[in-house]
Amino acid sequence: MEATEKTIKLAVNGGIDFGSKLNARQLLVLAKYLEDDQELELTTFQQLYIEIPESQKDEAIAEFEMAGLSCYPVGSFVKSLRTCNFCKGAEEEGMPVAIELNKRIAGKPVPFTLKPAYTGCPVGCGEPLINDIGIMKVKEGYNLYAGGKSKGQDAAAGTLLFEQLTPDELYQKVDRLIEIYSEYGKKREQMHKFINRVGKEQLMEHLS
């Protein structure tokens, strides 16, 4: 009896943009690695989970990326940036900043799966206030929130840490926030619990 080959789970999406979109070529390359009875799992974070044989990991990732798909690890890592489902325009709503931020943070190891979200205006379609890290573009600046909780009876908006950051300031503050969480967070401690434990005042001292 042959041993079943070990599989691994990958998170994929069509890159950081407004909305969750895949083209025909991307769907076909995903289908190539699916068995007839296998399913793709669509997450609330604009990602698809696909399980592939471990021996085909490098080959699959190369094919996915050639088709314009972005690949991310699954588990205790920073997830790819969730964005608005629709918007007026990439430049006006800061999409280049969102794309750059995602490049800097997605896939970093952290104590527990960390969900960052971005929105290009105060309407908040990307739901930044109820995710672990939230960025909201307000006029020409960027507001940074952390510690939002979307589920449970104690669901709550995140804490506003900074207002009207420039893009470079935003990158620096988010990088530093993830560093602090990685260094001082307990294993499987969610961001909102971490902030409640250390307190906003102490967190801000580390971020300054």
Side-chain angles (χ1 to χ4, degrees):
M1 184 176 179
E2 293 184 4
T4 303
E5 183 175 357
K6 184 178 178 182
T7 62
I8 61 166
K9 185 179 285 187
L10 287 177
V12 301
N13 64 20
I16 303 304
D17 202 345
F18 292 122
S20 306
K21 302 169 186 174
L22 296 175
N23 60 36
R25 183 185 178 197
Q26 292 166 343
L27 290 169
L28 286 170
V29 75
L30 287 170
K32 176 181 175 180
Y33 288 90
L34 290 172
E35 300 293 338
D36 289 344
D37 60 347
Q38 192 177 348
E39 298 177 334
L40 285 174
E41 178 185 349
L42 175 63
T43 76
T44 58
F45 237 66
Q46 301 171 331
Q47 292 182 338
L48 291 167
Y49 282 171
I50 182 171
E51 289 196 16
I52 59 173
E54 188 173 34
S55 63
Q56 296 180 1
K57 175 185 175 183
D58 293 342
E59 170 193 338
I61 289 176
E63 278 204 72
F64 292 163
E65 291 180 345
M66 282 288 290
L69 293 166
S70 295
C71 303
Y72 307 97
V74 176
S76 293
F77 300 92
V78 180
K79 296 183 74 66
S80 57
L81 195 66
R82 177 177 176 171
T83 55
C84 307
N85 289 324
F86 60 90
C87 234
K88 295 177 182 177
E91 296 296 332
E92 181 179 346
E93 308 304 342
M95 184 51 65
V97 172
I99 292 170
E100 177 62 25
L101 182 62
N102 182 70
K103 288 179 182 177
R104 290 169 174 260
I105 66 176
K108 285 188 174 183
V110 283
F112 194 63
T113 305
L114 192 150
K115 299 177 179 180
Y118 173 91
T119 193
C121 75
V123 173
C125 299
E127 300 182 344
L129 271 65
I130 56 171
N131 281 288
D132 298 313
I133 294 176
I135 298 96
M136 178 182 287
K137 185 173 185 289
V138 181
K139 297 182 180 178
E140 298 306 312
Y142 297 84
N143 293 357
L144 176 59
Y145 298 80
K149 186 176 186 296
S150 63
K151 298 177 182 178
Q153 292 182 329
D154 58 343
T159 299
L160 177 61
L161 301 179
F162 298 98
E163 294 183 89
Q164 291 298 293
L165 296 171
T166 66
D168 285 341
E169 289 171 339
L170 176 67
Y171 304 146
Q172 189 272 328
K173 295 300 183 186
V174 174
D175 280 342
R176 183 64 183 133
L177 177 58
I178 293 172
E179 287 176 1
I180 294 165
Y181 175 53
S182 298
E183 184 174 354
Y184 298 105
K186 298 177 181 178
K187 186 176 181 180
R188 298 190 64 79
E189 182 178 36
Q190 294 170 296
M191 176 63 85
H192 72 275
K193 292 182 178 179
F194 170 70
I195 293 176
N196 288 338
R197 177 170 62 83
V198 303
K200 180 181 177 181
E201 185 176 338
Q202 185 173 348
L203 178 64
M204 294 299 288
E205 287 180 5
H206 285 288
L207 286 169
S208 61

